[in-house]
Amino acid sequence: MRKLMIAGNWKMHLNTHEASLLVHRLSERIDVHRNVEVVLAPSTLCLQPLSLEIDRRKFRLAAQNAFYKDEGAFTGEVSFTMLRDLVHYCIVGHSERRAYFHDTLEVVRNKVEAAVRNGITPILCIGETEHERKSGETKQVLHDQLTTALSNLTTNDVRDVVIAYEPVWAIGTGVTAKPAQIDEAVRFIRHNVAELYGQKVSEEVRVLYGAGVEPEYVAGVLSLDAGIDGLLVGGASLNYHKFSEIVNAAYRTRREN
Ligand code: PGA
């Protein structure tokens, strides 16, 4: 059975002191769950101090971004090589990076490859904008983002990648994606993985949902037929009541199913 993942993307929020406080609060409210992996993605600055503080039975760390070259004259960047012993995961291709930082299809592909080369599992975000959905381009966009991002990996590498379906129009907007829309998109993603890497890989790869996740949506989303293996949480991950409730709701849903 694929292990559930609940990941909190803190984006550009919380200094090291605030981040440490949030981890402390979460730790009080979250138990060790063997079937649910809880992943925290603080700012790059907080990764090192948090790595020393977290209870490793409860939490794993993810970076929010890194550069695809291993080292060199790239002022301001941090490489996957530098993160290798610090994080299990790195978010790659988040829509905010695609929109504001020129993370093109090729850059995302290079980052996915660099993550894998350095032993870090990418959490690859793909998703359509409102305009793309309204123009009927959702499947094309998901297909293009998925196939380019994975194109430098071997079938064996793809098995371990975590894919997150994140409809851009529902990220931090208050608009919620309907269960049928999520189900259809995730089915399509698995179908694409099956076509490219075979049925077995498509059954093994984890696909998360992210965008506007709140505690009350957890059971519904995780019970969809498409087989959703967890959630990528933005805004609600900064609130310890909400994030711990999301983790606990995921645990309950998994136990009941
Ligand atoms: P949100 O963000 O939960 O605030 O919508 C999700 C994300 O950006 O991954």
Side-chain angles (χ1 to χ4, degrees), residues 11 21 24 42 45 54 64 89 110 137 152 180 182 204 230 235:
K11 306 192 179 182
L21 210 61
H24 181 73
L45 182 68
I54 54 168
Q64 295 176 17
Y89 298 99
N110 293 344
E137 292 166 15
N152 284 352
I182 302 172
E204 284 171 0

Side-chain angles (χ1 to χ4, degrees), residues 7 9 11 91 94-96 125 166-167 170-174 210-214 232-237:
N9 174 9
K11 306 192 179 182
I91 299 172
H94 190 279
S95 61
E96 287 150 17
C125 300
E166 297 216 301
I171 297 181
T173 55
V213 172
E214 294 285 334
L232 181 52
V233 187
S237 71

Side-chain angles (χ1 to χ4, degrees), residues 99-153:
Y100 309 137
F101 301 100
H102 311 290
D103 278 12
T104 60
L105 293 176
E106 290 68 32
V107 169
V108 171
R109 178 197 60 204
N110 293 344
K111 289 185 175 184
V112 165
E113 185 187 3
V116 171
R117 180 171 73 239
N118 285 288
I120 294 171
T121 301
I123 301 176
L124 168 67
C125 300
I126 60 174
E128 79 288 0
T129 61
E130 184 182 13
H131 174 75
E132 289 160 345
R133 176 163 281 267
K134 287 195 170 145
S135 335
E137 292 166 15
T138 300
K139 289 190 172 169
Q140 190 62 50
V141 170
L142 294 178
H143 174 268
D144 292 350
Q145 291 183 347
L146 188 71
T147 47
T148 9
L150 302 180
S151 60
N152 284 352
L153 302 187

Side-chain angles (χ1 to χ4, degrees), residues 36 43 58 76 105 110 155 161 220 241 245 249:
V36 183
S43 73
K58 292 186 183 179
L105 293 176
N110 293 344
T155 300
V161 171
H241 291 291
E245 186 44 35

